[in-house]
Amino acid sequence: CGGSVSDPSGMLQSPNYPGSYPNDADCVWEIQVENNFRVTLTFRDIAMQSGTCQHDYIEVYDGPLHSSPLLGRFCSGSFPTYVSSSNMMSVRFHSDSRYSFRGFQAHYSSIPAGHNTTIQCLPDYMHVVVSRQYLQSQGYSAQGVTLSDGRCRPTVTPQEVVFNIPYDGCGTTQEENNDTINYSNTIRVASSGHIIKRKKNINLHVSCKMLRKSWQQAMYAAEDTVDVSESQFGRYDMNITFYDSPAFLRQVRGSPYYIDLNQNLYLQACLHSSDPNLKVVVDTCVASPDPHDFNTLAYYLVRNGCPRDSSYATYYSPSSHFARFKFNAFEFMSRHPSVYLRCQMLVCRLGDYSSHCYRGCSSRAKRDTSSAEEEVDVVVGPLQLREEVAAPSGNTG
């Protein structure tokens, strides 16, 4: 139960609904719709153990589960509706081992955020767009829109003022909070009056926060300013590539990748980010014949940083944004026509020796020791065995 949901609209329901849900369930759905849209969630049926909601309950969070405000916790009563402040919302369903009921059903959809300022957190910079029509309606000029660092100028079009704000320049600051890495800057919109000022200046604070498995984008206005607010969520930019040798010079570009049994396979994971103070390591890699199911038939090469296959090994990498490793094609390949890999990469702050990036193999149940470490899933494949070609018996001339 649970999982990531990205369709514009859909249905959530407890396991086995409308039958009785199982005991000891703990399901989390992460709903992420398009940038600059919001999630609206309406419950249509709730039948659970009522009372104090200590045993069976539903929780709705305004963003990722572990780092967002709780919008509501309930187990009975009227059918509530919730609207997120960003393009992401999380729903958790929990049951204990006592009684079982029908559970819940809810419908979600995406609605436009309806603001005149948008933000995207791209791999190397924040892309911020301010509507000139909005500025004019508030009595401001596009020429009065600047960053804290006045040397970084926006692109002004007939409709928009566009900033591409790098994470490592233009006055962008970095800060670590619990499980986030926060990049922040300020866009200032000044009143045009030089001697007599009748309007408040706008201080538009823009930030991109790295959260577990996602980039969070946030925009808020300082006190005593025009109220402009927007927040979005996106995903880390990560890819895994096969190489033809341990020198990691030539990429394997063909797909599927045809290999021999017991052949050495060399892979490099690459994190695309302009922040030099990040480190990426391989946390878990599991093989499956089905790219959508890594549970039914699964073979672990490495799990929680602990090698499970004797051929698995890591290599020195010239950059903290790369993680290099290898393993041998295995007997699993001989029974299935194609094999896919799903690798969970761990991203931490460079030099944060309390993080699991530096601890290596560990049998932890959860990650709560480091102030900033994030998980990213990447699926790569398919791998297929190379077919042996029989030699011709002779020429027929």
Side-chain angles (χ1 to χ4, degrees):
C1 62
S4 297
V5 181
S6 58
D7 294 331
S9 62
M11 195 79 70
L12 304 183
Q13 55 192 31
S14 51
N16 302 331
Y17 181 90
S20 298
Y21 52 76
N23 292 327
D24 300 313
D26 199 58
C27 313
V28 177
W29 292 267
E30 284 188 345
I31 307 170
Q32 181 180 339
V33 296
E34 288 185 45
N35 278 352
N36 304 304
F37 279 72
R38 296 183 177 180
V39 182
T40 178
L41 178 73
T42 301
F43 286 83
R44 297 178 172 179
D45 185 21
I46 303 172
M48 301 169 61
Q49 183 179 358
S50 60
T52 58
C53 299
Q54 294 296 312
H55 306 289
D56 299 352
Y57 54 82
I58 302 165
E59 292 176 331
V60 179
Y61 290 86
D62 191 13
L65 179 70
H66 299 292
S67 53
S68 303
L70 178 66
L71 295 177
R73 175 179 170 138
F74 52 92
C75 56
S76 61
S78 59
F79 300 160
T81 294
Y82 297 97
V83 179
S84 66
S85 63
S86 71
N87 66 327
M88 194 170 186
M89 178 186 283
S90 295
V91 180
R92 180 188 182 196
F93 168 73
H94 176 82
S95 67
D96 68 0
S97 58
R98 299 183 67 183
Y99 305 105
S100 187
F101 297 84
R102 187 171 66 247
F104 79 91
Q105 185 181 71
H107 178 267
Y108 80 89
S109 60
S110 54
I111 56 175
H115 286 295
N116 296 287
T117 306
T118 61
I119 177 173
Q120 287 180 288
C121 287
L122 300 174
D124 295 322
Y125 57 87
M126 292 178 267
H127 181 71
V128 184
V129 179
V130 183
S131 163
R132 289 191 67 177
Q133 182 179 4
Y134 165 72
L135 291 172
Q136 291 165 3
S137 70
Q138 301 298 313
Y140 295 93
S141 165
Q143 280 63 46
V145 183
T146 61
L147 278 178
S148 306
D149 184 341
R151 295 171 295 178
C152 299
R153 302 293 301 170
T155 299
V156 180
T157 73
Q159 288 81 33
E160 300 167 336
V161 179
V162 181
F163 284 94
N164 290 326
I165 308 171
Y167 298 130
D168 59 348
C170 292
T172 300
T173 60
Q174 301 179 18
E175 179 187 9
E176 292 189 39
N177 296 313
N178 294 328
D179 62 343
T180 66
I181 302 168
N182 190 5
Y183 304 94
S184 301
N185 210 314
T186 302
I187 297 173
R188 306 184 189 281
V189 185
S191 173
S192 57
H194 296 288
I195 300 174
I196 300 174
K197 187 167 75 172
R198 301 185 185 277
K199 290 183 176 292
K200 298 176 181 177
N201 292 338
I202 297 176
N203 287 333
L204 186 63
H205 298 271
V206 185
S207 68
C208 288
K209 295 180 181 179
M210 174 63 78
L211 292 172
R212 184 178 178 273
K213 296 185 182 178
S214 67
W215 280 98
Q216 178 197 13
Q217 308 167 75
M219 210 184 270
Y220 62 94
E223 275 187 39
D224 198 32
T225 64
V226 175
D227 184 17
V228 179
S229 178
E230 188 67 39
S231 61
Q232 300 297 318
F233 290 82
R235 295 290 180 184
Y236 238 146
D237 190 3
M238 178 93 69
N239 72 298
I240 292 181
T241 307
F242 285 100
Y243 282 78
D244 64 357
S245 77
F248 291 94
L249 295 176
R250 291 187 301 274
Q251 295 184 13
V252 176
R253 300 190 180 276
S255 183
Y257 181 17
Y258 291 98
I259 59 174
D260 296 317
L261 204 59
N262 214 37
Q263 174 182 336
N264 282 330
L265 304 179
Y266 305 96
L267 299 94
Q268 176 177 274
C270 178
L271 169 67
H272 301 280
S273 172
S274 63
D275 183 358
N277 298 310
L278 297 178
K279 178 179 177 64
V280 60
V281 298
V282 184
D283 181 71
T284 298
C285 263
V286 57
S288 169
D290 185 345
H292 307 293
D293 181 2
F294 287 88
N295 295 310
T296 306
L297 286 174
Y299 180 80
Y300 281 90
L301 298 166
V302 57
R303 192 171 193 177
N304 293 337
C306 304
R308 294 294 184 89
D309 184 278
S310 59
S311 70
Y312 176 85
T314 58
Y315 287 89
Y316 166 79
S317 173
S319 167
S320 62
H321 283 195
F322 295 155
R324 293 174 169 178
F325 58 103
K326 74 101 177 174
F327 63 93
N328 292 357
F330 37 86
E331 192 66 28
F332 193 72
M333 291 286 306
S334 65
R335 300 196 301 272
H336 303 282
S338 299
V339 169
Y340 296 82
L341 293 179
R342 180 183 181 186
C343 294
Q344 187 172 76
M345 313 305 297
L346 195 59
V347 181
C348 310
R349 293 296 289 174
L350 192 63
D352 180 5
Y353 294 99
S354 68
S355 73
H356 291 290
C357 285
Y358 289 90
R359 291 188 175 188
C361 177
S362 65
S363 57
R364 70 268 185 190
K366 59 182 180 178
R367 312 179 188 281
D368 55 3
T369 58
S370 173
S371 60
E373 57 184 60
E374 330 302 336
E375 298 171 349
V376 183
D377 283 342
V378 183
V379 176
V380 64
L383 301 169
Q384 294 186 1
L385 280 180
R386 184 180 290 114
E387 295 182 2
E388 294 185 9
V389 179
S393 58
N395 293 327
T396 59

